[in-house]
Amino acid sequence: MPLVETGDVPADPPRTIARWVLGGFLLVAGLAHLSWSRDTFQAQVPDWVPLDADLVVVLSGIVELALGAALILARRHRALVGWVVAAFFVAIFPGNLSQFVDGDAAFGLDSDLARGVRLLFQPVLVVWALWCTGAWAAWRRRDHRAD
């Protein structure tokens, strides 16, 4: 199947669907941060974060909304969006790790096994963001052009 160039990265139906799904997940997560799960998210902010837990939750919810919208709507600079989304997933990893280490139960993650599986899924989110936006492919093409 030939790739169709959209902006700066290739787009094909599987990547497009995966990008929309990931964008939808981020939109729902952002809305949850700002509304119905705000208290639960506040309880997950590690004590070592030097900011008010509510501020961290609100800011991360806003970022998730922006990233989710960018994944769905951005036609140009899609690869850049992919790198930013991947970086966001890396940035929130310490909070997920803290939840595992501290044994905090939230969102049905009430066992070490469940919290551990969540940690293992974090790299999947990073790869998903890089693949569905074509960020990895764009980086590889760019790297080969330098040769």
Side-chain angles (χ1 to χ4, degrees):
M1 169 182 278
L3 296 176
V4 177
E5 286 294 324
T6 305
D8 58 353
V9 296
D12 56 31
R15 286 180 205 256
T16 299
I17 292 167
R19 187 171 38 80
W20 290 347
V21 169
L22 184 57
F25 284 152
L26 282 169
L27 289 172
V28 171
L31 291 172
H33 274 78
L34 299 176
S35 56
W36 65 85
S37 294
R38 192 163 169 175
D39 290 340
T40 305
F41 281 111
Q42 288 174 10
Q44 290 184 271
V45 176
D47 293 334
W48 49 263
V49 173
L51 299 170
D52 176 65
D54 189 52
L55 177 63
V56 171
V57 170
V58 169
L59 292 175
S60 61
I62 291 168
V63 169
E64 286 171 330
L65 288 173
L67 293 176
L71 281 168
I72 293 169
L73 301 173
R75 296 186 59 81
R76 296 189 54 82
H77 308 295
R78 213 173 264 162
L80 177 60
V81 170
W83 286 110
V84 172
V85 172
F88 175 75
F89 289 139
V90 170
I92 63 172
F93 185 76
N96 296 339
L97 186 59
S98 176
Q99 182 184 13
F100 177 78
V101 170
D102 295 343
D104 295 332
F107 305 111
L109 303 174
D110 55 1
S111 70
D112 286 343
L113 176 62
R115 289 183 290 271
V117 168
R118 179 187 188 189
L119 289 178
L120 295 175
F121 190 65
Q122 203 76 18
V124 172
L125 291 172
V126 171
V127 170
W128 185 355
L130 295 175
W131 175 77
C132 74
T133 59
W136 185 254
W139 180 78
R140 290 185 66 209
R141 280 194 315 270
R142 180 183 214 166
D143 189 45
H144 283 63
R145 278 190 236 144
D147 290 342

